[in-house]
Amino acid sequence: MPPDGNAVEIRNLVKRFGEFVAVDHVTLDVGRGEIFGFLGPNGAGKSTTIRILCGLLAPTSGSAQVHGYDVAAQSEQVKQSIGYMSQKFSLYDDLTVEENLDFFSGIYGVPHELRAERKAFALRMAGLEDERASMTRLLAGGWKQRLALGCAILHQPPILFLDEPTSGVDPMARRQFWDLIYAMAEQGTTVFVSTHYMEEAEYCHRLALMYKGRTIALGAPSELKAEHGDGATMNDVFIASIERAEEEGL
Amino acid sequence: MWERILQIVRKEFRQTLREPRLRTMLIMPPLIQTIIFGFAVNLDVEHVKLGWMDLDRGVESVELRRHFQGSPTFTITHEAGSEAEAQALLDRGDVQAIVRIAPGFSRDIGSGKQAQAQVLLDGTNSNTAAIMGNYATAVIATRNRELLGERQREKLVDRTAAGPILLKIPGVEPERRVWFNPDLKSRNYFVPGIIVNIITLVTLMLTALSIVREKEIGTMEQIMVTPIRPMELILGKTIPFAIMGMFDLLLITGVALAVFHVPLRGSFALLVFAGALFLLSTLGAGLFMSTISETQQQAMMASFFFFQPTFMLSGFSFPIANMPTLVQWVTYLNPLRYFMDIVRGVFLKGVGIEVLWPQLLALAVMGTIILLSSALRFHKRLD
């Protein structure tokens, strides 16, 4: 395991689908233990970038390292080191909460002696201890998201990729979900999270604004807001950055 | 490795057995098909409704009628007095065939001439018509032989002081003996074939659907970001359906033996072994369908595109020997054809590996190729 260095290093990353450039020369670093936000409208290239980082898509050019492994050449080592949860709820609806957890525990190869403890942790974290025998399809949206997160961290990955984890979830459940993200960051997990909710961007240590495949702004929320003058909100920063990018001929 | 495969297999069983639609798909099609082919589909020609059109009304025509009445194949249900009536009987489907005896029939026979009896057949179903024609010809031929015998005897009887002496008439008497299916029951032919049919359908379809469903709901993406190896995923996704296919083999064999008394003359173990080899092809094909389909509908369509021609060219209902030579060559690429040979060989002929090894070998080779090439197409990437 690479002891030092950044959790994620992206250099000139490009992804083309035919003529369409989904990711356009993105370069950025994410430090260990950071909550790094990816903010941008739909179609900005957030999901594509995250999928490349998870080894689900091959980059067209440029490079990316996750936990010190190259995502193109060492995608299997990358997969050992990450947890991934996507916007589309992706658990088995026709299995119970517990069966979902057991399944992913087995697939991730969590050592047998740790399984009970990890499952208990995931259930406690997601607040699903009383629902362990419930069929997953019967859970409310917020609970499903937390169960998905629980399944993604069973193997205690040092880096967690969350692709719009809270889309379609009510504000209360969103708040609870972010409490979980903070709890994990405190334990040293790097969290790479994309969102299109402005208020969620404020929760991140640092964030990148994505627009048409490019990063048009990068920094801590407070820094970004300061650049745009007193009293600027994240929304102001976002709109101003897009206008500037359009003027530059993007 | 086995740990992960086992996890997927267990999950697959849970999902399939929990979902009422899938559970039904495992049990109902084999049962319904077996029952339909066992009871309803019957290509045997029996109880043919026969129209009788006698324009002669002489001794000989009555005698011929007696022969038709005595035949188990024919039942005279209608009389036709005129050509128009005969036409109407066939048009309405009241009768399947009409025997038309021309005026002067008895007179011609009496005077030693060739007499004319016409058999009109409803040829809508060519197969049945041919069989009815054969039966009718056979009945008439029997009467012919009798007439011939009587004539010969009249000539050959020698009168001596002690009385008449019957001389022997030389002739060839054909003696027909059918092997493997002595009663020529079409049931015996079709019911074992259903094993091939059902195993193909169930394993092909369930494999393709189960993989594509995970693509649709997004769990495939979730599995692809885990350290699972493609081969583990493929085995985990195919082993459950191999087991379910085997279950259907047992189910159909059980019904065939218990309900329809189809003989199982060969080795049951060989049947199971051949079934396992055959599964390599169908599971591989199912896997292939899943790699070219994004939605369950596409997977269904793709599976039917594969299933229909291979089924038609399997020899299940249309004998391969009757196909044009080019098509016959094509059937050599069809795994269903080999398994069909094996199933019928084991059930009806009771033959073993010493006879069926070429088919078994073909299944092993084709199955390996199909499964491996499909597995190579199966990536752990989205693009």
Side-chain angles (χ1 to χ4, degrees):
Chain A
M1 185 188 285
D4 301 314
N6 288 320
V8 178
E9 291 186 1
I10 306 176
R11 296 286 174 273
N12 278 317
L13 190 70
V14 175
K15 178 68 185 178
R16 281 198 194 88
F17 295 105
E19 286 296 297
F20 176 68
V21 184
V23 179
D24 193 0
H25 294 89
V26 168
T27 296
L28 57 84
D29 292 329
V30 178
R32 293 194 179 269
E34 229 179 352
I35 299 177
F36 186 85
F38 233 21
L39 187 66
N42 290 329
K46 304 182 306 263
S47 291
T48 307
T49 307
I50 289 183
R51 284 175 171 173
I52 293 171
L53 295 177
C54 292
L56 285 170
L57 293 172
T60 309
S61 68
S63 69
Q65 288 198 340
V66 170
H67 203 54
Y69 299 114
D70 185 86
V71 293
Q74 297 169 295
S75 65
E76 291 312 306
Q77 284 95 325
V78 168
K79 285 168 183 175
Q80 298 277 3
S81 335
I82 59 165
Y84 169 73
M85 178 192 158
S86 75
Q87 52 192 347
K88 206 170 160 189
F89 176 70
S90 43
L91 292 175
Y92 297 98
D93 255 355
D94 46 1
L95 295 184
T96 65
V97 168
E98 207 166 9
E99 284 166 351
N100 265 305
L101 287 166
D102 289 340
F103 174 71
F104 282 102
S105 224
I107 296 296
Y108 275 114
V110 175
H112 280 274
E113 61 275 15
L114 292 180
R115 283 194 192 173
E117 182 199 318
R118 296 300 303 163
K119 180 161 80 176
F121 170 78
L123 284 170
R124 200 168 56 243
M125 176 207 79
L128 284 167
E129 283 152 309
D130 297 333
E131 302 290 336
R132 60 173 70 209
S134 302
M135 204 54 87
T136 304
R137 82 167 77 87
L138 302 175
L139 297 180
W143 276 356
K144 280 191 188 178
Q145 302 301 98
R146 293 201 299 262
L147 175 59
L149 183 64
C151 286
I153 58 157
L154 284 165
H155 57 305
Q156 296 178 288
I159 305 171
L160 195 54
F161 290 97
L162 307 174
D163 187 8
E164 303 204 357
T166 55
S167 65
V169 178
D170 66 75
M172 186 63 195
R174 248 169 28 213
R175 182 66 239 188
Q176 288 174 337
F177 195 87
W178 274 91
D179 288 343
L180 291 178
I181 293 179
Y182 273 105
M184 269 176 298
E186 269 165 31
Q187 288 164 13
T189 307
T190 309
V191 182
F192 194 117
V193 56
S194 76
T195 182
H196 56 256
Y197 294 112
M198 292 300 158
E199 80 270 21
E200 289 191 351
E202 310 258 4
Y203 304 150
C204 301
H205 296 149
R206 253 173 5 111
L207 56 91
L209 293 189
M210 285 285 279
Y211 184 64
K212 291 192 178 171
R214 296 202 191 168
T215 46
I216 55 171
L218 183 68
S222 53
E223 288 168 18
L224 291 174
K225 281 189 284 190
E227 281 173 24
H228 286 267
D230 276 346
T233 63
M234 213 51 233
N235 215 16
D236 299 335
V237 174
F238 188 61
I239 290 165
S241 301
I242 287 178
E243 279 169 356
R244 197 174 57 215
E246 291 281 359
E247 277 164 27
E248 285 166 11
L250 213 158
Chain B
M1 166 165 180
W2 290 109
E3 154 78 25
R4 292 200 186 113
I5 296 173
L6 193 71
Q7 287 291 341
I8 301 181
V9 170
R10 185 187 300 160
K11 171 188 82 73
E12 232 40 70
F13 267 108
R14 275 188 178 139
Q15 290 182 306
T16 308
L17 298 179
R18 205 168 267 172
E19 171 73 56
R21 264 186 318 168
L22 292 177
R23 213 167 43 207
T24 315
M25 191 163 166
L26 274 182
I27 310 237
M28 289 320 281
L31 282 184
I32 291 174
Q33 285 219 17
T34 315
I35 286 167
I36 287 179
F37 278 104
F39 281 124
V41 176
N42 194 349
L43 296 185
D44 308 342
V45 176
E46 286 165 345
H47 313 297
V48 173
K49 284 181 281 180
L50 185 69
W52 194 258
M53 180 173 176
D54 191 350
L55 303 176
D56 177 60
R57 304 206 174 268
V59 187
E60 287 301 335
S61 69
V62 171
E63 185 60 28
L64 188 61
R65 178 175 183 144
R66 206 177 51 77
H67 273 80
F68 269 97
Q69 277 169 331
S71 150
T73 316
F74 295 102
T75 312
I76 297 175
T77 55
H78 291 77
E79 305 276 347
S82 66
E83 305 288 347
E85 262 180 71
Q87 174 87 40
L89 283 177
L90 280 173
D91 282 350
R92 284 196 305 264
D94 289 339
V95 297
Q96 292 160 274
I98 289 179
V99 175
R100 181 180 177 281
I101 295 168
F105 181 78
S106 302
R107 189 191 61 226
D108 285 347
I109 290 178
S111 58
K113 281 196 239 159
Q114 282 288 327
Q116 300 294 326
Q118 194 177 32
V119 183
L120 304 169
L121 299 164
D122 176 354
T124 328
N125 183 333
S126 55
N127 194 37
T128 314
I131 297 172
M132 288 188 305
N134 285 341
Y135 278 127
T137 314
V139 173
I140 296 171
T142 310
R143 177 65 193 138
N144 242 346
R145 255 200 321 279
E146 283 178 13
L147 286 169
L148 202 66
E150 283 167 21
R151 277 299 155 86
Q152 296 284 69
R153 230 169 275 134
E154 278 170 23
K155 285 184 194 159
L156 292 172
V157 168
D158 216 6
R159 296 195 179 271
T160 64
I165 296 172
L166 226 53
L167 295 183
K168 290 234 161 53
I169 305 162
V172 179
E173 188 68 32
E175 191 189 319
R176 201 177 65 146
R177 189 157 296 167
V178 179
W179 280 15
F180 311 130
N181 187 4
D183 304 330
L184 288 175
K185 283 189 202 149
S186 44
R187 168 189 296 174
N188 287 356
Y189 181 70
F190 281 119
V191 171
I194 297 169
I195 292 177
V196 183
N197 190 0
I198 288 292
I199 289 190
T200 311
L201 251 189
V202 167
T203 54
L204 178 78
M205 211 85 104
L206 288 182
T207 309
L209 285 182
S210 89
I211 296 174
V212 175
R213 190 173 55 231
E214 295 220 23
K215 280 195 200 175
E216 271 185 349
I217 59 177
T219 46
M220 192 50 87
E221 197 174 310
Q222 200 66 49
I223 289 182
M224 282 176 175
V225 294
T226 71
I228 195 168
R229 281 187 282 272
M231 200 30 92
E232 295 167 342
L233 184 52
I234 288 169
L235 285 173
K237 278 293 196 182
T238 47
I239 289 172
F241 304 110
I243 294 173
M244 293 176 202
M246 278 297 170
F247 164 79
D248 277 339
L249 184 140
L250 295 180
L251 181 70
I252 302 170
T253 307
V255 173
L257 298 182
V259 180
F260 296 111
H261 307 292
V262 173
L264 175 55
R265 300 201 175 91
S267 147
F268 179 66
L270 179 62
L271 188 67
V272 172
F273 174 65
L277 286 183
F278 177 62
L279 283 170
L280 297 177
S281 299
T282 57
L283 295 172
L287 196 62
F288 181 81
M289 300 306 154
S290 77
T291 64
I292 59 168
S293 314
E294 290 303 318
T295 65
Q296 293 190 63
Q297 268 176 328
Q298 285 172 358
M300 279 290 239
M301 289 290 284
S303 303
F304 270 110
F305 272 127
F306 173 86
F307 179 70
Q308 285 295 350
T310 51
F311 175 65
M312 290 296 178
L313 297 179
S314 68
F316 176 74
S317 43
F318 313 115
I320 291 172
N322 295 355
M323 295 174 187
T325 318
L326 186 68
V327 181
Q328 288 196 30
W329 279 101
V330 174
T331 65
Y332 285 113
L333 294 173
N334 182 3
L336 274 74
R337 171 213 163 115
Y338 299 105
F339 192 41
M340 191 69 76
D341 279 352
I342 294 171
V343 167
R344 284 182 176 148
V346 170
F347 265 93
L348 300 179
K349 294 189 183 173
V351 289
I353 293 181
E354 71 287 350
V355 172
L356 295 172
W357 66 266
Q359 281 89 340
L360 290 164
L361 188 65
L363 282 185
V365 171
M366 294 183 85
T368 312
I369 293 174
I370 295 176
L371 194 57
L372 278 185
S373 50
S374 304
L376 288 175
R377 277 186 56 89
F378 195 89
H379 298 297
K380 261 185 77 184
R381 281 237 163 100
L382 295 171
D383 57 350

